[in-house]
Amino acid sequence: MAPFTLDSLREQIRGSAVGPDDPGYDDARAVYNGMINRHPAVVVRPSQVADVMTSVAFAREHELPVAIRGGGHSAPGFGTVDGGLVIDFTGQTGVRVDPATETARSAAGATWADFNHATHAFGLATTGGIIGSTGVSGLTLGGGIGYLSRQYGLSCDNLLSADVVTADGRFLVASETENPDLFWALRGGGGNFGVVTSLEFRLHPVDTIYGGLVIYPAAEAETVGRFYRDFIASAPEEFGVFLGFHQGPPVPFLPEQWHGTPVCVIVGAWTGPLDEGEKRWQPILDAAPVAGSFVGPLPYPVLNGLFDPMLPKGMQAYWKADFLASLSDDALRVAVDFGSRVPSMESANHYYPIDGAVQRVAPGATAFAYRNVDFAPVIAGMWHDPADNAANIRWVREYWEALHPFAEPGGYINFMDADDQVRIQQNYGPNYARLAEVKAAYDPDNVFHVNQNIGPRVDARSAGTRAPGAQQGGVTSVED
């Protein structure tokens, strides 16, 4: 590492640069996952694209590893790095909506709560996440699964263009007509190819939806799971609902006897005609005895933020993920078993449907390859007390090990933890070789490696070549 002073960096940027001796350093280095305790050499809070270009050049000159922090929601803590330079966009949250063209441009640090607030004023939305505090940039670059996926595709399917600062300091626009190879890779390939400083999206008419959540006793989980599997297979694409396993939250519509006990849930939205909403939701309410429900007309941003109060910054977190071609009897049996043992109020296991519009995009059209599977499960362990780390991590790992024999080789990178790097080629399957080529073209020295990392070369012995959708047997090992 070449020697440097923070003053030399500060003289070149208009934003701020926070170092270990500065007030506020501990706040600047903190990330969403309280389990992550890293000490970067400097945290840059850029005021404009020029600061980003300068920061990348500075990091390269002084041989500093680079981490990029968008909304700051990364479970593996990829928004920070020991001894390196962090580009922190969390202060840049602006969203500009053009109602005439039904598009929006988001700053790199905006969350989906920021984005939905801006677009809802015009009765518009695009596919975002399930949690409002999730960053727009990170979710989109990894694919982007949400309530609107079945109707409008993934977040990356609605990306029209992105502004990017590359490893050699260039500023590029990536779109279907400008740098199309880079644009292809950004749609699912994560933060491997450069620093994305803004994103332009296609919007859709989504205003007030009919939705919410229905909570069932854990004893009804198998019945509910079988119902859900059959229901979502034939439901109109305007129905974006997922199956989940939680502990009962302390909310007014759920009797106290269910608080803190394992429950099964169906959560989501009907985005079709509002006057059909009650009728559309009735089969879900009739599927099994209900412990509590909160369903009705809601502004879309309210639905997108329902879980936010339960998930503050600073909790311990450890996640795993897969793709499922179907919610088979075997997979459902595993879900019911481990769902009955959810270890904390904040932990969750969700099965997101990714059929409909997601599957109308060809597997090779974007970097997101798994276009012929029906579900993306996440096993999200989250809790407050570090003393519970070993037990809760064990629940996540054992659940994944039990589920994975019935899953595809790869999983959704936005739901994976740092120790899932061993699965990187499986996660992209037949698209990995092309991703490595794009990486070699735009970042041959792997400057941007603090992520689910795509190397600039392909190891032919382990490259994922089996088409997504073929059956998997066995379990990929995961190291501590």
Side-chain angles (χ1 to χ4, degrees), residues 213-216 253-255 258 285 290-294:
L213 72 160
V214 179
I215 302 175
Y216 311 88
F253 60 86
L254 185 66
W258 302 110
L285 290 163
V290 172
S293 65
F294 175 74

Side-chain angles (χ1 to χ4, degrees), residues 201-218:
F201 291 92
R202 178 187 304 108
L203 302 178
H204 307 277
V206 179
D207 192 349
T208 299
I209 57 87
Y210 199 100
L213 72 160
V214 179
I215 302 175
Y216 311 88

Side-chain angles (χ1 to χ4, degrees), residues 175-268:
S175 70
E176 292 283 6
T177 57
E178 298 180 80
N179 304 296
D181 56 340
L182 178 60
F183 186 57
W184 175 87
L186 291 176
R187 289 175 291 166
N192 279 280
F193 309 98
V195 185
V196 173
T197 59
S198 73
L199 307 95
E200 180 190 16
F201 291 92
R202 178 187 304 108
L203 302 178
H204 307 277
V206 179
D207 192 349
T208 299
I209 57 87
Y210 199 100
L213 72 160
V214 179
I215 302 175
Y216 311 88
E220 303 295 336
E222 183 175 356
T223 298
V224 173
R226 290 178 181 276
F227 160 80
Y228 172 79
R229 178 179 61 191
D230 296 339
F231 175 83
I232 201 66
S234 59
E237 292 175 6
E238 293 91 340
F239 233 135
V241 291
F242 65 83
L243 173 70
F245 299 88
H246 286 254
Q247 287 187 7
V251 291
F253 60 86
L254 185 66
E256 190 172 349
Q257 71 185 90
W258 302 110
H259 295 180
T261 66
V263 295
C264 178
V265 303
I266 293 179
V267 184

Side-chain angles (χ1 to χ4, degrees), residues 4 7 29 52 86 182 249 257 268 292 347 365 476:
F4 68 93
D7 285 343
R29 71 182 182 86
V52 177
V86 174
L182 178 60
Q257 71 185 90
S347 292
T476 301

Side-chain angles (χ1 to χ4, degrees), residues 365-425:
T366 69
F368 190 97
Y370 281 84
R371 297 288 185 165
N372 55 350
V373 298
D374 286 347
F375 296 98
V378 60
I379 307 166
M382 293 174 283
W383 60 95
H384 289 280
D385 190 347
D388 296 330
N389 285 10
N392 291 346
I393 290 172
R394 184 167 57 250
W395 176 79
V396 174
R397 286 180 170 166
E398 290 179 353
Y399 191 161
W400 178 80
E401 288 168 357
L403 183 65
H404 189 64
F406 313 113
E408 300 302 301
Y412 178 42
I413 65 165
N414 283 346
F415 291 161
M416 291 193 168
D417 224 293
D419 57 8
D420 288 310
Q421 175 63 34
V422 296
R423 302 177 66 193
I424 189 66
Q425 295 191 19

